[in-house]
Amino acid sequence: MVDVNNIDVYLKSQGIRPSFHRMKILEYLLRERNHPTVDTIFDSLRGMFPTLSRTTVYNTMKLFLSHGVVQALTIEEKEVRYDADTSLHGHFKCVVCGAVYDFGLEEEIKTFMNLKDFQINEHYIFLKGVCKTCLESREV
Amino acid sequence: MVDVNNIDVYLKSQGIRPSFHRMKILEYLLRERNHPTVDTIFDSLRGMFPTLSRTTVYNTMKLFLSHGVVQALTIEEKEVRYDADTSLHGHFKCVVCGAVYDFGLEEEIKTFMNLKDFQINEHYIFLKGVCKTCLESREV
DNA sequence: TCTAAAACTGTAATAATTACAAAAATACAA
DNA sequence: TTGTATTTTTGTAATTATTACAGTTTTAGA
Ligand SMILES: [Mn+2]
Ligand SMILES: [Mn+2]
Ligand SMILES: [Zn+2]
Ligand SMILES: [Zn+2]
């Protein structure tokens, strides 16, 4: 995983110039781990520096995406989310609170990905349902 | 699987009045099995009946979706595709020809979906890469 | 300090989807 | 069959997320 204290080094290693905005955006992704949309990022950060433009967030996410610094998750139509954890893992979206949880994939997942005759470049796995918190608060 | 010759019966059983357009659209989905976008459906069908409106396709897909007659696949940003096969299966999109293939999931997939504390309502699994046909035609 | 390149901003343009109201088709009771 | 209410379809306008673009600011380095 990427060290939050060495974001500049990491960005350079990925061929991205570590500007202030880029570092703050990546720091946000790494710190919150909330799989945010562009608007979530924008709204969260402009409190800190109100000069931020939404276009900058879009541009930065596109740049990050093209350099493999983030992956895009289209869990819901019209709701593209971004994840700075680009490793292979599954996502669970709670349909009640909207939170997106990560979960690891064990060996078994690799079995069905080993499809002959096909070259696998990207794999997306996600689930939707109700998370533990929401299940409990409904039991009232 | 749904019988292409009894679409009207099937739609009624799902609580949907089987209008001409609805039957033709579902017939298209069942026959082609191509995971089409709204525009693909629209362009394919208006050759047969040019009076068709794009809005009707949108409306119909939304209706089908709410009745569980189709599932929506957002494999690519801004490219919502529809699948009349609502069973649990994986999708493979060839990044070369754009075709979306189905593949079955064996028992192992159920293992990691058996997450405790979470109620799973929907699961989406898809891969991207290059299909056999495209791999071969590149070997030239 | 000066200059060129890169990054950022804000607005305008684009494109997918949805809202909406009018027109057409359908169901069915009289 | 005819009349009427309901449903479906249509076409355009509105909305929304994203992208294009051009001007401005910042940065890096000679
Ligand atoms: Mn994740
Ligand atoms: Mn399928
Ligand atoms: Zn929840
Ligand atoms: Zn192919």
Side-chain angles (χ1 to χ4, degrees), chain B residues 22-39:
Chain B
R22 290 170 183 170
M23 294 209 291
K24 284 301 177 188
I25 290 173
L26 182 52
E27 183 185 318
Y28 175 81
L29 289 168
L30 291 170
R31 204 185 296 279
E32 300 291 332
R33 305 187 144 282
N34 54 349
H35 307 87
T37 63
V38 160
D39 265 24

Side-chain angles (χ1 to χ4, degrees), chain A residues 19 21-22 51 53 55-56 78:
Chain A
S19 74
H21 293 82
R22 290 170 184 169
T51 164
S53 164
T55 302
T56 298
K78 296 212 195 151

Side-chain angles (χ1 to χ4, degrees), chain B residues 61 65 69 84 112 115 121 134:
Chain B
M61 297 323 293
L65 201 53
V69 169
F112 78 84
L115 304 170
N121 295 343
C134 290

Side-chain angles (χ1 to χ4, degrees), chain B residues 36-93:
Chain B
T37 63
V38 160
D39 265 24
T40 305
I41 300 169
F42 177 66
D43 290 339
S44 305
L45 291 187
R46 69 169 164 174
M48 290 200 287
F49 40 114
T51 164
L52 179 67
S53 164
R54 195 186 308 267
T55 301
T56 298
V57 182
Y58 274 110
N59 290 341
T60 303
M61 297 323 293
K62 187 175 288 188
L63 181 72
F64 283 178
L65 201 53
S66 70
H67 286 252
V69 169
V70 298
Q71 60 174 314
L73 311 174
T74 325
I75 294 179
E76 212 75 64
E77 280 182 35
K78 295 210 196 153
E79 191 189 75
V80 182
R81 290 161 168 265
Y82 294 94
D83 192 349
D85 181 354
T86 57
S87 71
L88 174 57
H89 63 283
H91 290 106
F92 174 90
K93 173 167 179 169

Side-chain angles (χ1 to χ4, degrees), chain A residues 107-121:
Chain A
E107 275 307 305
E108 61 258 28
I109 190 73
K110 294 177 184 161
T111 308
F112 78 83
M113 283 213 274
N114 196 21
L115 303 170
K116 339 167 223 335
D117 306 331
F118 290 86
Q119 170 192 313
I120 311 284
N121 294 343

